[in-house]
Structures are given as structure tokens and as C-alpha cells.
Amino acid sequence: MIEPTLNYVTCPGPAAAAAPGATVPEGHRMAWWEWSAPQCRDASHVVVCVHGLSRQGRDFDVLARALAPQVRVVCPDVVGRGHSDWLADPAGYQVPVYAADMLALLDALHARVPIRTLDWVGTSMGGLIGIALAGQPGLPLPAPVRRMVLNDVGPALEWQALERIGQYLGVPAHFATAEAAADALWAISSSFGPHTREQWVALSRPMLRPAPQGGFILHYDPAIAVPFNQLRQQDAAAGEELLWQLYDRIQARVLLLRGAQSDLLAPATARAMAGRGPHAQCVQFEGVGHAPTLVDDAQVQVVRRFLLEEGSAP
């Protein structure tokens, strides 16, 4: 079975000091997981998969294994999550900083093996980062984004869903066992849709880190909630206008995935995305809310066909 390798890239902006009184590093490290099969058909074709707000790069293990024989798959842990550094200033936990980090990552990838084809898969927050990059043609990307998968996200986000997420984001949690953690995470993630116990435990394990006192805590910096909880509805409306402008400038071919019961991506927003800008194709999954995890084989095959089979329609 193909397994990923863990790598790091240094990005602008100070990381949090490792200990009280320690010197604050000049830059922060972003971790990224690389999936590349020994006989990868085209290492110059890179698919970047970016996770949601409180998740991490190992969310894409199933999809990455399906893609890796043909292309190089890169799954970053966005700063503040997973194996990446935490930021010195919580105000940096926002899309502009994340997008700048992705530019640093793409530059490092291009230096290793020149990128000729670049695709993007973004779940929720990862999709917003993708819109920010692909919607600004002047950015120094090593190659233009060719195809983009937006997983249950768009320029307009439902305010009630953001309020729901804010109820648990950054709340301290301690779990005696990994199994107890999986159960607790399922309680706030059942909208992801049906999963076997094995699938859910596999998704949950990278969400944890050992606690100093024993047991487990969540993998991310609780301070990622600071800018999120400072967001007001009028601010979200202003941000929506900017995101639509960025979306309309995307030149990539776009596949929009939507959970049929999603509370974050409204049907009206999905229809608008199909009718303007890059005119996204939309595929909807029944029995799923926010957001499809891309673990179910039907979901994986939709994405795989879109990215790898020329001229194919989901």
C-alpha cells in the first residue's frame, strides 16, 4: 500500500515560540504530505488537496491513494493544524496567509520537479484558499490551475452554518482514549454522512496528538478560533462580494461537490456557481451534509474521473 512522506516548507511570518521566553522564529513551517507511487505516470502533474477549517492533510488518504499511480498528490497541513507550526499572532489564521503559504509550497514543489499541470482539490476552507489563488491571475503560480474541485464550498456561505461551527471550534477537549475521541468527533461531524467504524477511526486518528498528562487532545492550535469568532455577519457579506469577484475570474475548469443536506452551501449558491464565472459542474451526494469526506468510493471516482480522464464529465 502506498504511504505518504512528511515534508516541511518555511513560510513568511513568525511561528509561536516553542516555550515561554524562547525566541520567536522568523518564519513558520508548514507540513505537507507527498503521495507519489514508485511508478508514478506523471510527476509533473501535481494535485494539491487542502482540508477544511479544523482538519488536516491526512483527510485525503483514500483519494490520494487512488490518484498517486498517475500523478503527484500533495496534502498540506494548513498552518496551526496537524504537524505544522502554530502562529505567533492568531490574527494570521485567515485565508490571505494560508494562500501565501501555498505559494511558498508550490514554489518548493516546482524546484523539486517542475510542475507542468496543476490541479486543486479544496474542502470547505481549502476551497476558499483555492478560489483566492486561482481568482488572481497575476499570482506567481508555477502553472495555472487547470482543474479545481470545490468540495461543499462557494463564495456565499450560510451564516447559521458558520455559527454552528463556531460553537465547537477551539473549545478545549481531552480524551482518555483514541476511541473516545472518535466518538466525540462523530458527535459534531455526523453531517459528513455514513461511514463504517473503520473509516471513521482512520479519519479521526490524525486529528489527535498525545496530551502531556496522558490521553489525547485535538491536533490544532485553539487560537484558530480567534479570527473566526470575531467574524460578524456584515463582515461575511462583504467577504462574499470579494469571493464572487475572485470566482468569476477563475479560468480553471471547476467541479463543485455538494452534500445534499449541506447547511453551508445553499442550493441557490450552487446554481449561481453553475451559471457564472467558470460555470462549475455540480455533483450532489444524497445522505451527506457538510462536507463529503471523499472516502466513499462513489465520491472518489467522481473526483478521479474529473481530474484524470480528459473530456470526461462526472
Side-chain angles (χ1 to χ4, degrees):
M1 183 180 292
I2 304 171
E3 293 295 336
T5 57
L6 178 61
N7 307 267
Y8 294 90
V9 61
T10 300
C11 305
T23 302
V24 175
E26 291 185 3
H28 61 267
R29 295 194 315 165
M30 181 172 68
W32 54 279
W33 300 90
E34 182 173 33
W35 295 81
S36 184
Q39 303 300 322
C40 176
R41 188 183 67 185
D42 186 2
S44 70
H45 183 174
V46 173
V47 178
V48 179
C49 301
V50 186
H51 58 79
L53 181 63
S54 63
R55 306 290 302 182
Q56 38 64 49
R58 298 301 299 268
D59 271 3
F60 296 100
D61 282 11
V62 176
L63 176 64
R65 285 194 178 98
L67 297 175
Q70 279 91 12
V71 299
R72 191 161 43 134
V73 184
V74 172
C75 306
D77 289 345
V78 176
V79 66
R81 288 90 168 166
H83 291 263
S84 293
D85 285 344
W86 295 4
L87 291 178
D89 183 0
Y93 290 128
Q94 299 191 66
V95 168
V97 171
Y98 303 152
D101 287 1
M102 297 304 157
L103 288 177
L105 171 61
L106 290 169
D107 188 57
L109 291 172
H110 190 57
R112 284 187 169 200
V113 178
I115 299 173
R116 291 201 295 263
T117 304
L118 176 61
D119 293 334
W120 192 275
V121 178
T123 295
S124 197
M125 179 189 74
L128 297 180
I129 298 169
I131 291 172
L133 291 175
Q136 300 183 71
L139 292 179
L141 297 172
V145 179
R146 182 194 67 125
R147 296 193 179 187
M148 171 173 286
V149 179
L150 297 176
N151 187 13
D152 210 64
V153 70
L157 306 176
E158 295 301 294
W159 181 250
Q160 287 184 330
L162 296 177
E163 289 183 312
R164 172 181 61 80
I165 294 168
Q167 291 175 358
Y168 64 80
L169 184 68
V171 176
H174 179 268
F175 311 101
T177 65
E179 291 74 20
D183 292 339
L185 290 169
W186 180 249
I188 60 172
S189 307
S190 58
S191 65
F192 287 177
H195 290 75
T196 66
R197 181 66 180 178
E198 182 182 14
Q199 288 171 332
W200 186 249
V201 168
L203 280 170
S204 300
R205 193 174 294 114
M207 297 288 291
L208 307 174
R209 63 171 59 190
Q213 68 273 36
F216 298 91
I217 56 176
L218 293 174
H219 69 100
Y220 63 80
D221 180 0
I224 66 172
V226 172
F228 186 89
N229 290 333
Q230 291 173 345
L231 183 69
R232 298 295 175 259
Q233 194 164 5
Q234 58 269 29
D235 302 325
E240 178 182 324
E241 182 178 350
L242 173 60
L243 282 168
W244 277 119
Q245 293 173 12
L246 292 168
Y247 177 79
D248 287 340
R249 290 199 291 263
I250 292 175
Q251 298 299 306
R253 184 177 169 191
V254 175
L255 171 65
L256 176 64
L257 306 179
R258 182 176 184 272
Q261 285 72 47
S262 175
D263 62 348
L264 188 79
L265 180 66
T269 300
R271 289 193 295 269
M273 293 172 71
R276 60 187 283 185
H279 297 278
Q281 300 171 266
C282 185
V283 174
Q284 187 163 269
F285 299 110
E286 289 295 332
V288 180
H290 181 75
T293 58
L294 309 183
V295 168
D296 178 76
D297 186 62
Q299 297 175 16
V300 169
Q301 292 309 317
V302 165
V303 175
R304 186 183 180 281
R305 286 196 301 271
F306 176 73
L307 295 177
L308 300 185
E309 296 180 15
E310 283 296 328
S312 66

